[in-house]
Amino acid sequence: MSVASKGLIVGGGIAGLATAIALRQAGIECDVAEIGDLRPVGAGIGLAGRAPNALDELGVYAEVVATGQPGLGAPAMHDAAGRVLSAPPPPPPLAGGLEPIGAYLPALAEVLATNAASLGARIETGLSIESIDDAGDAAIVKMTSGEARGYDL
């Protein structure tokens, strides 16, 4: 059984960019094909539980914390005048877990894309796949650009 040397990731969202970072850290070349652009619609996301630890393993936790809101918790209840009616309960502790983060999606995407690219991932926008053909130890992928590329992962 051969070791993978080049992978294709279809989709440049959070999972695709995180995968690109992990593959490059493992020494595997990778391309990320994203049909749109890498700017997600401006919204927030809560990263709790195992997610902060995963970001730490990728080496981007501190950078995401710096662009987000650490200590994500349940919101307090307020009346119409803004007075607190009830405070939120404290989050349950996670053994070995890092502090949860509230992140702005465009900032999170930028951190992941910048880190993936700095590690050597090729990130291409406006691109998807048309077909995949089995070539034994590799797959030949025809891109929407008309180019054919070989990948083993």
Side-chain angles (χ1 to χ4, degrees):
M1 183 167 150
S2 63
V3 176
S5 63
K6 187 171 184 182
L8 172 63
I9 301 162
V10 180
I14 294 170
L17 294 170
T19 300
I21 292 170
L23 289 177
R24 289 303 303 139
Q25 288 174 340
I28 299 171
E29 283 185 59
C30 65
D31 294 343
V32 177
E34 169 56 49
I35 198 164
D37 58 35
L38 294 179
R39 294 176 301 190
V41 175
I45 184 171
L47 302 166
R50 182 75 184 96
N53 291 72
L55 292 173
D56 189 51
E57 290 168 15
L58 294 173
V60 299
Y61 176 76
E63 196 173 346
V64 174
V65 168
T67 64
Q69 176 63 47
L72 177 69
M77 300 281 288
H78 296 81
D79 67 12
R83 293 183 298 266
V84 175
L85 297 175
S86 67
L94 175 64
L98 293 171
E99 185 174 27
I101 312 162
Y104 180 53
L105 277 175
L108 175 59
E110 180 65 27
V111 167
L112 294 172
T114 299
N115 280 272
S118 73
L119 290 169
R122 179 166 69 166
I123 302 170
E124 299 174 276
T125 58
L127 185 68
S128 190
I129 62 171
E130 284 187 10
S131 64
I132 303 173
D133 292 314
D134 186 355
D137 285 346
I140 305 303
V141 180
K142 184 174 180 188
M143 311 304 285
T144 52
S145 64
E147 180 183 6
R149 301 178 185 173
Y151 296 96
D152 56 11
L153 178 65

